[in-house]
Amino acid sequence: MTDLLAGLWAGGSEPAVTVAGHALHREELAGRALAVAAEIAGAGAVALHATPTAETVIGVVGGLLAGVPVVPLPPDSGPAERAHILADSGAELLLGAAGTGADGLPLVPLDGLGAAAARPATPPPAATAFILYTSGTTGAPKGVLISRQAIAGGLDALAAAWAWTPDDVLVHGLPLFHVHGLVLGVLGALRVGSPLVHTGRPRPEAYAGAGGTLYFGVPTVWSRIAADPAAAAALRPARLLVSGSAALPVPVFERLAAGTGHRVVERYGMTETLITVSARAGGERSPGYVGTPLPGVRTRLADEQGRPVPADGESPGELYVRTPVPFGGYLNRPAATAEVLDADGWFRTGDIAVIDPDGRHRIVGRASTDLIKSGGYRIGAGEVENALLAHPAVREAAVVGTPHADLGEQVTAYVVADGVTGPELIDFVAGQLSVHKRPRLVHLVDSLPRNAMGKVVKTRLADR
């Protein structure tokens, strides 16, 4: 593995990173990050107030240069969540702008350290780069240990898959405390050596005015751009649009293709595995599919009893993946690690997928919420959601299974729509899919609950 931050030292006159209009040239970014590295050297871990700012990038790079694990803190996290992450991670310092609440930890002011020139020794490849916390949907958030070599290998595979080079200009406006916005969206650019323009917030007009060649977004971002003809047209000169963090609805894929001239590249990954499956820049891009495994990655499907599920393009099963460098486990949770990672390196994702004979993967959803067992049938929520979204009156849709005395579970939809009734939508889906897949209950709602990455939080749908 070469230097994880190889592109940082590559030179060039253009800014390495621009965040919400604040430009950092490579020399300034390196100097300020080296000052951070000198300040935190020897710490066991440091927390980072991960706002969408240039200072966050400086803090991340400083931690990597020092070989100190960085623990990104979501800026909107509540007191209980922050307290848990800080205590669980063992963070000894907090990196943030002057005046940032330090939660009882010594504050290292990222905007007040100046610059330094001395480069510390490069940490070993197996060293932990980040402790990234899961969303905590099934209990307290767990700290995921991500190594430098896992990041380097994953980014190199994506650079090859997407033909990503220093000649690109990457644009995104994603949060800087997740894999998508932070690892891919910051470290990817610094490793490849391509300039990064972070828009601060992912507004359509900001993407339209950024002048990039490579754009990252989540489905919510792409849906809004597809609905804005001027913003969509402004992306026509781009080279590649990439979508991730949640399934891109087929109607959004098609509207975006019509408006931008681009068939979006979709990819799939998790905090624990980073990105494992992706469509290719020079290959087929099919709506509803996230592509094929990256080099060195293996996948398989299994049913609830662990028995193999065929890759026939029809049969859903839980997706297992094996990566060249498995994640380092959940911090302080060996039992939880053993539940998802076996001795051979197979990781149980908890996601339901379908794999066709050509190896193309389609993600149906989470096993816990998106595989509906109704009347002896196994129904993927994502397929029903795409059918609902094909109706011109429907703006958003989420489908779950709810208890039913006879069927076990019934297909239940929560829909944001105008000028259409629940029975009309039931009939519409029944006309597109097998009749047993139609919703038996449709709730028309004003909005769907979403997290910071734009994913629908299905456990909160009943609140609507």
Side-chain angles (χ1 to χ4, degrees):
M1 182 189 77
T2 58
D3 185 354
L4 181 57
L5 298 167
L8 177 61
W9 321 104
S13 58
E14 74 284 344
V17 175
T18 303
V19 184
H22 183 175
L24 289 172
H25 287 76
R26 286 175 171 80
E27 183 177 355
E28 180 187 2
L29 173 56
R32 293 181 63 181
L34 286 167
V36 173
E39 193 76 13
I40 67 176
V46 295
L48 170 68
H49 190 54
T51 56
T53 61
E55 282 70 31
T56 292
V57 177
I58 293 166
V60 166
V61 175
L64 292 173
L65 291 172
V68 175
V70 175
V71 185
L73 291 172
D76 61 349
S77 57
E81 180 184 0
R82 288 173 66 89
H84 167 73
I85 292 174
L86 292 173
D88 187 69
S89 67
E92 299 172 15
L93 303 167
L94 179 67
L95 309 182
T100 299
D103 296 275
L105 296 177
L107 177 69
V108 177
L110 294 172
D111 50 353
L113 292 180
R119 286 178 62 177
T122 301
T128 298
F130 293 110
I131 305 174
L132 299 175
Y133 276 79
T134 62
S135 58
T137 54
T138 57
K142 299 186 290 288
V144 179
L145 303 174
I146 304 295
S147 71
R148 301 170 69 91
Q149 61 187 345
I151 293 171
L155 291 177
D156 289 348
L158 287 177
W162 299 342
W164 188 359
T165 75
D167 293 330
D168 279 306
V169 175
L170 171 63
V171 176
H172 75 86
L174 304 173
L176 298 184
F177 48 87
H178 284 298
V179 166
H180 196 170
L182 179 59
V183 177
L184 274 63
V186 173
L187 298 191
L190 291 176
R191 183 163 177 79
V192 169
S194 63
L196 164 65
V197 177
H198 190 286
T199 59
R201 297 188 65 182
R203 295 188 177 94
E205 62 271 21
Y207 272 46
T213 64
L214 176 61
Y215 287 78
F216 292 170
V218 297
T220 301
V221 172
W222 295 127
S223 177
R224 291 171 180 171
I225 289 173
D228 185 329
L235 299 189
R236 283 185 172 271
R239 185 179 66 80
L240 205 65
L241 311 183
V242 179
S243 183
S245 295
L248 184 68
V250 171
V252 175
F253 181 104
E254 294 171 342
R255 289 197 297 268
L256 197 63
T260 67
H262 291 281
R263 296 177 69 81
V264 175
V265 162
E266 294 190 68
R267 87 301 183 281
Y268 166 80
M270 300 185 71
T271 302
E272 293 89 339
T273 64
L274 304 180
I275 307 306
T276 52
V277 179
S278 179
R280 307 305 200 262
E284 180 184 8
R285 308 173 207 170
S286 302
Y289 287 84
V290 294
T292 56
L294 294 172
V297 174
R298 293 183 61 191
T299 63
R300 61 182 173 89
L301 300 178
D303 65 14
E304 293 91 335
Q305 286 74 43
R307 297 172 301 199
V309 170
D312 58 9
E314 296 291 337
S315 303
E318 183 174 357
L319 181 65
Y320 288 67
V321 302
R322 189 164 72 179
T323 62
V325 182
F327 85 111
Y330 297 117
L331 181 66
N332 304 322
R333 287 172 171 78
T337 302
E339 289 179 2
V340 298
L341 186 68
D342 70 17
D344 294 324
W346 283 100
F347 179 79
R348 184 176 183 176
T349 67
D351 284 327
I352 301 300
V354 172
I355 304 176
D356 73 11
D358 295 324
R360 299 185 309 161
H361 289 52
R362 177 165 55 88
I363 306 300
V364 175
R366 293 296 290 172
S368 58
T369 57
D370 294 319
L371 183 63
I372 303 167
K373 301 171 189 175
S374 181
Y377 293 101
R378 291 156 57 92
I379 302 166
E383 185 178 20
V384 184
E385 288 164 357
N386 277 325
L388 286 163
L389 288 165
H391 193 289
V394 174
R395 288 182 278 128
E396 298 180 79
V399 170
V400 295
T402 57
H404 189 277
D406 179 45
L407 299 172
E409 287 186 304
Q410 64 181 344
V411 179
T412 300
Y414 293 79
V415 178
V416 180
D418 299 308
V420 67
T421 67
E424 289 171 338
L425 291 175
I426 292 171
D427 291 341
F428 179 77
V429 173
Q432 297 183 77
L433 306 177
S434 301
V435 174
H436 70 265
K437 295 180 180 179
R438 74 190 186 283
R440 290 178 174 268
L441 188 61
V442 173
H443 298 287
L444 296 172
V445 296
D446 293 331
S447 64
L448 301 179
R450 297 182 182 273
N451 64 15
M453 294 300 291
K455 293 183 182 180
V456 175
V457 183
K458 291 193 172 182
T459 55
R460 291 168 46 199
L461 284 171
D463 298 341
R464 292 296 192 267

